[in-house]
Amino acid sequence: MLDGRTRRILTLWFPRLANDRVLRAQPIEGPFALVLREGNTDRLHCLNAAAEGQGLARGMALSEARAFCPALQTAPADPAREAQFLETLRRWATRYCPWVGLEDEGLVLDITGSDHLWGGEEPMMAEMTARLERARITARLGLADTRGAAWALAHFAPGRAAPGARLSALGKLPVAALRLPHDTVTGLQRLGLREIGDLTRTPRAPLVRRFGAGLMARLDQALGDLPEQVSPVADPPHYGTRLTLPEPIGQQDDVMAGIERLLDRLCAKLKENETGARVLCLTLRRVDQASQEVELRLATPLRDPARIAALFARGIEDIDAGFGIDQMRLAATQVEALPARQVGAIATERRDKLGDLITRIGLRIGLENVQRYLPADSHIPERSFLIAPAAFTEPEGNWHQPHPRPLRLFPPEPLIADAPDPPRRFRWRRQSLSAERIEGPERLTPEWWFDDPNWRRGMRDYWRVETGQGLRFWMFHTPQDPGWYVEGIFA
């Protein structure tokens, strides 16, 4: 009871949720199933009615299913998108009541005190069913006083149980309707306890000793003797703010002033949730109802209003205000965690300046085109580094090498040398050069797990050669194939 009113719980079960998500966009005639890989076997994940009519069942191996039904059409399952689809349905269900929670392939709603807004419980259920049918979503509804009873009705006898009529509504249902493990259901059936009513007429102590306390807990939850809450899923924070202007504006300074006001409110909310914005979208609505958008992609997550406002300045230069802008809306469309942390003032300033620089360059050429070098685990020169977008990676200082590496690397170029070990005079790119200082050798062997055509000649002996003309070369020769090559130049 709640304030003298019987608590009422509604369960929506979507037995073909995964299939409905796919087939709503592209209907398919005939047997169809989504396939999910488990271990080394592809198994049926969700089937339509035609596939079930052919004797197929969820969990069956795909090879076995094709033997039963050669006409079976399949597609790969996507559990992540299924979860997003169920979350969309949860948000839709909040139009009926604020207390909406998630269940496995379904929703649970506490509609206590909400049904009168729809003319009663039966009109509410009819309206839900009609909307879901129009959306081509298969659903089964169960309404009762408890969450366990509503689940049992939705899965085994869709419909509505009158207030207080829990046992009469559940007595003839199978014991599996109590949300019991498969082994427990099988054990009860072997004892002749096939219906929920059979359990209520059996002494509890022997059942608890044999099957554990969980069996009686599920029975008590269904009958209302043990409370079970409906926990609504909290909606994620919405990072958006709007400013409606009493008079239209058109000057860049006025737009920047509006952006600063919006950023103050937006960044306060970001700070409250310890997040930072990575992508911001500014929408400017003109008096003629046309809208223009300015997107700002940041190299690092930010929630500093002053820094973000300075980065917006370039984006609004090309805005056409027309006869004036009367509304501004700013939203953080992509956010990342940004917990508060204590760091040195100098390190923080350097990191902030670098992030702002990357953002400014990215506004011109795209953030993906601003790249940095990262170390890679390889002693082969051309494979000892990676190139990655600077906005989506952190700099790494682990560039330790036992020997120096040249600033510039290029494909090996042959030398005309006067001696094989190592040359004192040689010609390179039509220049006659003489060696003044020589360091080496450093022997590198090819990595056998990579078939690199450039290293098929075998090991290389590398030398660092400083010439009298001021150039510092990285040279090598291969003992298996005499000859000298230049592969890099030091700074």
Side-chain angles (χ1 to χ4, degrees):
M1 301 288 288
L2 181 65
D3 295 335
R5 184 183 179 92
T6 304
R7 190 166 179 240
R8 300 293 281 169
I9 305 299
L10 175 66
T11 291
L12 279 76
W13 178 41
F14 307 109
R16 298 190 178 94
L17 179 69
N19 266 9
D20 290 341
R21 180 188 67 82
V22 176
L23 299 180
R24 286 173 69 240
Q26 185 179 1
I28 295 178
E29 299 293 336
F32 175 80
L34 292 177
V35 178
L36 187 65
R37 191 165 189 82
E38 297 180 3
N40 295 324
T41 306
D42 290 329
R43 298 190 178 276
L44 303 187
H45 175 65
C46 189
L47 301 82
N48 65 358
E52 291 178 350
Q54 295 290 328
L56 307 183
R58 185 170 184 171
M60 181 182 292
L62 178 60
S63 57
E64 182 182 356
R66 291 199 183 281
F68 279 95
C69 180
L72 177 66
Q73 303 177 68
T74 63
D78 191 339
R81 291 197 175 183
E82 292 169 20
Q84 293 176 359
F85 188 45
L86 184 59
E87 172 61 20
T88 301
L89 292 172
R90 183 199 67 81
R91 292 198 302 270
W92 165 80
T94 57
R95 72 193 307 268
Y96 298 100
C97 69
W99 293 78
V100 182
L102 295 175
E103 284 192 328
D104 185 23
E105 296 184 337
L107 304 173
V108 55
L109 294 75
D110 188 341
I111 64 170
T112 308
S114 301
D115 57 288
H116 72 280
L117 300 174
W118 305 89
E121 294 177 348
E122 292 183 356
M124 174 188 278
M125 296 176 66
E127 206 270 346
M128 284 184 180
T129 303
R131 283 181 174 270
L132 291 170
E133 287 179 353
R134 287 197 298 269
R136 297 196 296 275
I137 298 175
T138 304
R140 301 175 68 176
L141 282 67
L143 176 61
D145 295 345
T146 65
R147 183 172 181 174
W151 189 95
L153 291 175
H155 285 72
F156 292 89
R160 170 181 173 272
R166 303 163 206 163
L167 183 57
S168 60
L170 302 180
K172 296 298 182 179
L173 296 184
V175 292
L178 293 177
R179 298 173 290 173
L180 299 174
H182 177 72
D183 293 343
T184 302
V185 173
T186 302
L188 291 171
Q189 291 174 345
R190 288 174 179 172
L191 295 177
L193 304 175
R194 302 182 180 278
E195 298 177 351
I196 294 177
D198 298 335
L199 292 178
T200 61
R201 295 185 293 269
T202 303
R204 300 170 67 97
L207 293 177
V208 171
R209 285 196 299 269
R210 179 159 185 171
F211 297 103
L215 170 61
M216 290 296 106
R218 286 301 194 189
L219 178 62
D220 291 341
Q221 286 174 345
L223 298 180
D225 298 325
L226 188 65
E228 187 177 9
Q229 300 298 322
V230 175
S231 300
V233 179
D235 290 324
H238 175 66
Y239 299 104
T241 183
R242 184 174 58 185
L243 178 63
T244 302
L245 304 168
E247 294 290 339
I249 62 175
Q251 298 294 326
Q252 183 174 344
D253 292 342
D254 295 335
V255 175
M256 286 301 302
I259 291 175
E260 291 171 0
R261 292 181 60 181
L262 293 171
L263 282 171
D264 288 338
R265 299 203 298 264
L266 178 62
C267 291
K269 191 167 187 178
L270 291 169
K271 184 177 181 181
E272 179 183 350
N273 293 280
E274 292 192 341
T275 54
R278 282 300 296 261
V279 181
L280 292 141
C281 182
L282 173 68
T283 304
L284 303 174
R285 191 188 70 181
R286 304 189 315 193
V287 293
D288 60 359
Q289 302 303 310
S291 297
Q292 298 189 55
E293 291 187 353
V294 178
E295 186 181 70
L296 178 64
R297 302 175 65 196
L298 302 172
T300 56
L302 292 181
R303 58 168 178 254
D304 185 342
R307 291 176 60 193
I308 299 176
L311 297 171
F312 255 119
R314 174 175 174 78
I316 66 173
E317 291 178 354
D318 300 329
I319 289 295
D320 180 12
F323 292 103
I325 296 169
D326 62 359
Q327 187 182 92
M328 304 174 63
R329 186 178 183 276
L330 181 63
T333 57
Q334 182 178 337
V335 298
E336 291 183 7
L338 185 61
R341 51 183 180 175
Q342 184 176 2
V343 295
I346 297 179
T348 301
E349 183 179 359
R350 289 177 177 173
R351 187 183 68 250
D352 292 347
K353 287 183 177 180
L354 177 60
D356 292 350
L357 175 62
I358 294 173
T359 299
R360 293 180 187 276
I361 298 175
L363 288 174
R364 296 175 178 270
I365 65 174
L367 282 179
E368 294 80 3
N369 296 322
V370 184
Q371 300 177 331
R372 63 159 50 102
Y373 288 100
L374 298 175
D377 187 16
S378 177
H379 62 271
I380 300 299
E382 54 268 30
R383 288 201 289 267
S384 62
F385 62 91
L386 300 173
I387 300 177
F392 310 112
T393 55
E394 292 293 333
E396 297 185 24
N398 187 22
W399 285 92
H400 174 71
Q401 291 281 355
H403 300 283
R405 289 292 183 260
L407 181 64
R408 290 177 53 200
L409 281 174
F410 43 78
E413 299 180 4
L415 294 178
I416 300 177
D418 59 357
D421 190 25
R424 291 290 178 176
R425 295 184 179 277
F426 53 89
R427 289 182 60 82
W428 175 73
R429 293 184 180 178
R430 300 181 180 180
Q431 301 179 65
S432 296
L433 304 169
S434 59
E436 297 292 335
R437 182 179 177 182
I438 300 175
E439 298 179 9
E442 175 191 355
R443 176 160 289 185
L444 298 180
T445 58
E447 296 169 337
W448 57 267
W449 53 92
F450 286 115
D451 183 17
D452 190 340
N454 294 325
W455 283 79
R456 288 177 180 172
R457 296 180 179 179
M459 71 182 84
R460 297 177 181 177
D461 288 336
Y462 280 88
W463 302 74
R464 297 182 298 278
V465 178
E466 183 175 348
T467 67
Q469 290 74 23
L471 296 174
R472 298 178 64 224
F473 292 105
W474 205 41
M475 304 165 52
F476 74 87
H477 78 96
T478 57
Q480 298 85 357
D481 183 17
W484 284 88
Y485 299 85
V486 174
E487 193 174 357
I489 299 178
F490 292 91

